[in-house]
Amino acid sequence: MNETFIGENLMPGRIGHFFVITALVASALSLISFLNAMKSDTPEKKRGWMNFGSALFGLHAISVLVIFSSIFYICSHHLYEYMYAYKHASLELESKYLLACIWEGQEGSFLLWALWHALIGVFLLRNKETNFNETWKAPVMSIVSVANFFLMMMILGIYFFDIRIGNSPFTLTRNEIAAPIFSQPNYLSFIKDGMGLNVLLRNYWMVIHPPVLFLGFASLLIPFAFACSSLMNNAYTDWIKPSLPWVLFGGIVLGIGIMMGGKWAYESLSFGGYWAWDPVENASLVPWLFLIAGMHTMLIYRATGHSLHASYLFILLSFIFVLYSTFLTRTGILGDTSVHSFTEAGKAINVMIGIFVLSFTIPSLGLFFSRYKKIPSINKEESTDSREFWMFIGSLLFFLSGVFIILITSIPVYGKTPGLSRLIEKIHGGPLAMPEDPEFLYNKVMIMVAIIIGLLTAITQYLKYKSTPRPAFLKKIIYPTLVSAVVVAMVAVFYPFTYEKHGAGFLIAIYLAFFSSAYAVIANGWYMFSVTGNNLKKAGSSVSHVGFTLMIVGILISSSNKKVISDSKVNGIQVPTGNDPMTKKKEDPTENLTLIRDVPTRMGRYEVTYQKDSSGNEKGRKFYHLNFDEWDEKFETKKPAFSLEPDVYIMKDNNMSSNPDTKSFLHKDVFSYISYAINSEQNTDTAQFKVYDIGEGETAFYGNGYFTLNKITQNPVTDKFNFKPTDLALMAELKFVTKDSFSFTSTPLIIADSMGVSQWIDTVYSQNLYVAFTGVSENRKIKIGIKEATGLIDFVTVKTFEFPWIVLVWLGLIIMALGMQLSLLHRVTWKNAYKWTSMVISSIILFYLFLLAN
């Protein structure tokens, strides 16, 4: 304990900071050892340096685990003397979100990335497969050590003169915040709670999405390292085989991680969807597109010897753009255009991130282009009737898609880059700005990509490498082609797409993309059963293609036929709803339906009742219970369907953050979020009850009309009450008639038991009226208390969508990942397959979580 400041627990921070320095030094020394192993001229020296480097890397990995554990301890024990815990943890935070506190901040996310690098490095060092022999270990591990050296620098937090190198997660709050209380020995007694996790991150997907995403990012380093190592050692043809399993693994995990982010957005953000072409979403997608392009060119090379240059380029760029996505996300350069990006962390850390990116980009691409002419190639062009020709076209299309996406996404960067901004202004005639409707720009380009990719995915499997006899090809492809045409025709007739926002031309493009994607699903399924003979070891690519194109089918259907069912024209009540959180455009008030408490309101085929609200565990969080009854138009009856509980956080500045709730069916999701809610703390009510003495059959006047006491019932048995004959309860049945001739009933209740006399106050929310049975007067008349509330009527405004067949999106992802896992296990020696199984077991578990969550 500190002798000056009461209650401080400095030991976890000291341990954590000590191991940050240890991890940094160990990574640097392991790098030196691996480099010496590469230069050693005898096997004994090489083995000695490798053993020393392996031991140091093991120390580095242990140190990273200790750092991670220290941060978790600090956050979970709410040690607010540490700035990291104060910024990210709070007492109200549920325990399941404590892990998310670690990677909410810059430092924790860098640490998570380093942790995956460390664990992968340990796996590589212990790997005994012949594909990864001693020739590869030293150069590959040297590159892993360089990456983790940079990541440790990011969390070092040591001053070099006036410049702080990295941001330490173990800095003390009193050293970071200038406030008078921190000069007092008992300052911790004034800190009642931390700031807590961002309300948008309080979702179970944020506990598992970032680790999976960062595992995907970390795994892309390994094929990058193999490619660089082969260029350094002039071993141009040997790197494909040992790196291909890592490419498949990265494709699985990064793809899952990206779509888990989509699932989080679907469940936590109120823009009504799972993808919004947000810049940070794009920055994570681009490396995956480059990786998939590289995967296919590597398969081409293994089969034919073609596309080795392209394989190098695509694999190098996949990890380079992981680093570039880090630059976009963490420097704050996208702060005005993305809901995901971190705020700016300071000039020093931004410079460090820039150096990190350039330290991998310049040497790797420089090495590639300097060795370009030495890389073997086959001068003979591929035949247009060969599998490799169309596989390369597909790979090139994936690559160009990634280039297009990143060029548009980086527009905010151009204006902040000295020299480049002036050049663009000179050429463009002014500053370059994002298009007015960037979402449509992405969609209209990517819909054309989807058309071509779908067609290529459908037919390429039926082609042979080098050359394909035309009669045999036509015989195999004719049946899936006819079946696909029939399926699409039936969809067009019985379930037409209704998306007409951008005109008939774009609608036609949607139909073409649907045909090509459905064609790919059917053709690959047909190929899997008719050609591979259900041999799962050989069917991995077909399964992956079915999953990928099924996901595209789900995206097209759910996006094209998505409809808003909350139509305020039904009840005519409109409230200000503000701007859409993603597009920043003014929301259409007619698409937001206002629900008055306890008043059933028609919403499409449903009748919705806002029944109650309840407070969540976190301060300012409130859940709204919405009951949906489904109408049977034929019989004009309704039946209970389901309930939703969207919630909101009322912030300290009275802004509102809304989290949607979803009811999933096989064929659709009903998705609803709160677009406007009353701040109950500001909605004060100063009205008092006014008591009336009234007899049975008599009438009395109140502020907005009159009411009549119809009868008194002893121990009533109704939908609301079920008293026994031995109970002592009286219920008054009152009829109210307003000045505008609306009538309604109210049934307040008074109960006497061993605990005394209690009242059940009836609330008529449509009239802002509270009615109480307060007692019986001396002349045996009934005392009725009426309060006409002065506060706002209790209501909530919701926006509700129907997403048809969105289940196909998530199902397609799972099938694609399983197919890639089959391909992965097919390409490693079965003697060591258990090691790869242990590497992917976490993703398999996440598949099941994914299914259960739906």
Side-chain angles (χ1 to χ4, degrees):
M1 296 293 178
N2 189 281
E3 295 179 0
T4 305
F5 296 99
I6 300 171
E8 282 189 338
N9 184 358
L10 301 184
M11 186 57 67
R14 288 171 177 169
I15 292 173
H17 190 62
F18 170 80
F19 279 98
V20 169
I21 297 173
T22 303
L24 178 73
V25 173
S27 62
L29 293 178
S30 65
L31 169 61
I32 295 170
S33 299
F34 292 134
L35 290 175
N36 282 327
M38 291 170 58
K39 298 176 182 178
S40 297
D41 52 4
T42 64
E44 291 77 15
K45 287 183 180 180
K46 183 181 183 69
R47 192 179 306 112
W49 281 115
M50 280 300 302
N51 291 337
F52 188 51
S54 298
L56 287 167
F57 193 88
L59 175 61
H60 167 81
I62 292 171
S63 299
V64 173
L65 281 169
V66 173
I67 300 165
F68 193 90
S69 301
S70 299
I71 296 178
F72 181 73
Y73 180 87
I74 288 170
C75 291
S76 61
H77 286 75
H78 306 101
L79 303 182
Y80 296 137
E81 54 265 47
Y82 296 97
M83 189 66 184
Y84 206 81
Y86 177 72
K87 286 174 65 176
H88 304 294
S90 62
L91 295 172
E92 67 180 10
L93 196 64
E94 296 178 61
S95 58
K96 62 184 177 182
Y97 298 136
L98 285 171
L99 275 173
C101 293
I102 298 177
W103 41 77
E104 183 190 29
Q106 293 249 27
E107 303 90 330
S109 60
F110 281 128
L111 179 63
L112 178 62
W113 194 359
L115 178 62
W116 283 128
H117 278 169
L119 295 177
I120 289 173
V122 170
F123 174 83
L124 283 168
L125 289 170
R126 296 181 61 84
N127 192 356
K128 302 299 182 183
E129 287 196 47
T130 55
N131 289 343
F132 189 64
N133 54 38
E134 296 300 319
T135 304
W136 291 112
K137 279 188 179 180
V140 169
M141 289 306 303
S142 64
I143 292 173
V144 175
S145 297
V146 171
N148 265 21
F149 177 81
F150 273 105
L151 291 172
M152 288 299 102
M153 290 281 286
M154 299 295 178
I155 64 171
L156 185 59
I158 291 179
Y159 279 91
F160 183 75
F161 296 104
D162 293 333
I163 300 173
R164 183 162 68 177
I165 302 173
N167 294 328
S168 172
F170 303 109
T171 55
L172 298 175
T173 309
R174 56 181 165 86
N175 292 336
E176 296 296 313
I177 301 177
I181 66 165
F182 294 109
S183 62
Q184 301 183 39
N186 63 336
Y187 77 90
L188 280 174
S189 64
F190 298 100
I191 304 177
K192 303 302 181 183
D193 201 3
M195 297 171 65
L197 194 66
N198 186 310
V199 295
L200 294 176
L201 305 183
R202 299 181 189 187
N203 180 284
Y204 61 96
W205 284 115
M206 290 311 294
V207 179
I208 56 178
H209 155 59
V212 175
L213 188 69
F214 275 95
L215 175 57
F217 286 160
S219 64
L220 266 60
L221 174 63
I222 307 307
F224 173 90
F226 272 108
C228 289
S229 300
S230 71
L231 290 170
M232 287 188 290
N233 296 327
N234 297 311
Y236 304 111
T237 61
D238 299 337
W239 69 283
I240 297 289
K241 187 175 182 179
S243 64
L244 187 55
W246 287 100
V247 173
L248 287 162
F249 179 76
I252 296 168
V253 179
L254 185 55
I256 292 172
I258 291 168
M259 288 309 293
M260 280 183 171
K263 199 70 167 67
W264 162 72
Y266 185 63
E267 294 188 6
S268 290
L269 299 182
S270 54
F271 68 88
Y274 43 84
W275 195 264
W277 295 111
D278 179 88
V280 176
E281 292 175 337
N282 298 346
S284 64
L285 175 63
V286 168
W288 187 83
L289 292 173
F290 290 164
L291 186 73
I292 298 302
M295 178 195 304
H296 285 86
T297 54
M298 291 168 77
L299 293 173
I300 292 172
Y301 174 76
R302 290 204 63 186
T304 67
H306 287 285
S307 301
L308 186 56
H309 288 85
S311 298
Y312 270 113
L313 181 63
F314 296 160
I315 293 303
L316 293 175
L317 289 178
S318 64
F319 184 70
I320 287 171
F321 276 90
V322 166
L323 300 179
Y324 183 65
S325 71
T326 302
F327 171 77
L328 291 178
T329 306
R330 298 169 196 286
T331 59
I333 202 165
L334 296 179
D336 297 331
T337 58
S338 174
V339 297
H340 297 74
S341 64
F342 291 86
T343 55
E344 190 164 353
K347 185 176 181 180
I349 194 72
N350 289 349
V351 170
M352 290 178 63
I353 293 172
I355 294 172
F356 186 19
V357 176
L358 294 176
S359 296
F360 279 79
T361 303
I362 295 174
S364 62
L365 292 182
L367 197 59
F368 169 67
F369 288 112
S370 67
R371 300 283 201 275
Y372 188 87
K373 292 182 179 180
K374 295 181 180 180
I375 298 172
S377 62
I378 298 175
N379 294 326
K380 182 182 176 182
E381 295 293 332
E382 301 98 322
S383 173
T384 56
D385 62 0
S386 66
R387 178 183 291 190
E388 63 268 23
F389 177 82
W390 295 107
M391 281 179 67
F392 180 78
I393 295 299
S395 300
L396 188 61
L397 197 58
F398 270 106
F399 171 69
L400 293 176
S401 300
V403 171
F404 163 74
I405 292 170
I406 205 65
L407 285 176
I408 302 301
T409 302
S410 300
I411 286 177
V413 179
Y414 306 150
K416 298 179 182 180
T417 304
L420 181 60
S421 59
R422 290 193 296 272
L423 178 63
I424 290 174
E425 287 184 19
K426 187 175 181 179
I427 297 173
H428 188 257
L432 193 62
M434 289 293 289
E436 186 176 343
D437 189 355
E439 183 177 337
F440 179 55
L441 174 63
Y442 288 118
N443 285 339
K444 69 181 181 181
V445 172
M446 297 310 292
I447 198 77
M448 303 308 296
V449 172
I451 293 170
I452 302 171
I453 288 293
L455 293 174
L456 293 176
T457 306
I459 66 174
T460 303
Q461 288 279 76
Y462 290 87
L463 297 171
K464 294 182 180 296
Y465 285 111
K466 298 184 179 179
S467 181
T468 307
R470 183 171 296 182
F473 168 74
L474 294 176
K475 183 179 178 181
K476 291 177 181 177
I477 201 68
I478 186 65
Y479 294 109
T481 304
L482 292 175
V483 171
S484 302
V486 171
V487 168
V488 173
M490 292 177 65
V491 169
V493 172
F494 298 105
Y495 190 65
F497 294 146
T498 59
Y499 190 84
E500 299 178 353
K501 182 178 178 181
H502 295 291
F506 191 67
L507 183 60
I508 292 172
I510 292 174
Y511 272 109
L512 290 174
F514 177 74
F515 167 76
S516 67
S517 300
Y519 185 24
V521 172
I522 294 168
N524 278 273
W526 197 289
Y527 180 88
M528 186 167 52
F529 293 109
S530 65
V531 178
T532 65
N534 298 325
N535 187 336
L536 288 179
K537 288 176 66 175
K538 296 181 179 180
S541 59
S542 296
V543 175
S544 299
H545 294 156
V546 167
F548 176 73
T549 48
L550 184 64
M551 186 168 60
I552 301 300
V553 167
I555 290 171
L556 291 169
I557 296 176
S558 62
S559 300
S560 299
N561 283 357
K562 177 181 77 171
K563 62 179 180 180
V564 179
I565 61 174
S566 50
D567 186 355
S568 68
K569 294 190 289 290
V570 172
N571 63 9
I573 302 176
Q574 295 182 6
V575 298
T577 53
N579 294 334
D580 182 275
M582 297 297 292
T583 65
K584 310 300 182 185
K585 295 179 181 178
K586 191 76 174 177
E587 283 217 54
D588 184 355
T590 65
E591 293 182 348
N592 295 266
L593 183 62
T594 298
L595 306 175
I596 299 171
R597 187 163 177 171
D598 287 341
V599 177
T601 305
R602 195 66 181 269
M603 182 189 290
R605 63 189 297 179
Y606 302 104
E607 187 175 80
V608 185
T609 306
Y610 160 37
Q611 293 185 325
K612 62 181 180 179
D613 52 60
S614 58
S615 298
N617 294 328
E618 299 94 337
K619 184 179 179 181
R621 188 178 191 182
K622 184 176 287 188
F623 291 85
Y624 294 84
H625 186 88
L626 310 178
N627 186 62
F628 284 69
D629 294 324
E630 189 169 5
W631 272 95
D632 187 324
E633 301 291 350
K634 182 177 180 181
F635 299 102
E636 295 187 353
T637 59
K638 62 180 180 179
K639 59 181 180 180
F642 56 89
S643 296
L644 294 178
E645 288 193 343
D647 65 274
V648 299
Y649 287 90
I650 303 297
M651 312 292 194
K652 294 177 181 179
D653 56 2
N654 292 320
N655 285 326
M656 185 188 77
S657 174
S658 178
N659 292 317
D661 194 15
T662 305
K663 176 63 178 178
S664 297
F665 300 92
L666 177 63
H667 65 294
K668 68 176 180 181
D669 277 8
V670 178
F671 173 102
S672 187
Y673 68 88
I674 306 298
S675 50
Y676 186 83
I678 301 172
N679 187 342
S680 57
E681 294 182 0
Q682 295 184 340
N683 187 30
T684 56
D685 183 15
T686 58
Q688 301 293 322
F689 277 96
K690 182 178 180 181
V691 179
Y692 299 82
D693 286 354
I694 187 171
E696 194 168 335
E698 293 182 353
T699 296
F701 290 90
Y702 75 106
N704 194 39
Y706 65 89
F707 64 95
T708 303
L709 176 61
N710 289 337
K711 63 179 180 180
I712 303 294
T713 304
Q714 185 174 350
N715 299 330
V717 178
T718 66
D719 293 339
K720 294 180 180 179
F721 310 111
N722 187 20
F723 290 99
K724 299 175 183 178
T726 55
D727 293 330
L728 183 55
L730 296 176
M731 183 183 75
E733 183 178 309
L734 302 162
K735 180 180 181 181
F736 284 77
V737 179
T738 66
K739 292 178 181 178
D740 47 8
S741 300
F742 285 102
S743 64
F744 53 91
T745 59
S746 177
T747 53
L749 190 80
I750 191 168
I751 305 168
D753 54 25
S754 59
M755 301 297 292
V757 178
S758 58
Q759 301 171 355
W760 190 89
I761 299 175
D762 196 10
T763 308
V764 185
Y765 285 102
S766 62
Q767 301 295 317
N768 235 16
L769 202 65
Y770 297 83
V771 184
F773 191 147
T774 60
V776 181
S777 63
E778 294 179 356
N779 56 4
R780 302 186 65 80
K781 288 192 174 185
I782 303 303
K783 291 181 176 291
I784 297 295
I786 295 179
K787 183 174 79 168
E788 298 178 72
T790 59
L792 289 173
I793 190 171
D794 205 355
F795 73 90
V796 68
T797 302
V798 301
K799 190 169 186 176
T800 306
F801 300 88
E802 278 189 352
F803 284 94
W805 294 106
I806 195 172
V807 67
L808 297 179
V809 176
W810 317 120
L811 182 62
L813 170 68
I814 295 168
I815 293 173
M816 180 184 71
L818 288 174
M820 293 175 73
Q821 284 198 16
L822 289 173
S823 297
L824 167 62
L825 294 177
H826 180 53
R827 284 172 171 82
V828 295
T829 58
W830 287 101
K831 180 181 177 181
N832 294 287
Y834 71 93
K835 294 181 180 179
W836 282 98
T837 303
S838 67
M839 284 284 286
V840 299
I841 193 68
S842 58
S843 59
I844 295 174
I845 293 171
L846 291 172
F847 295 159
Y848 286 106
L849 289 173
F850 212 84
L851 286 169
L852 291 172
N854 286 281

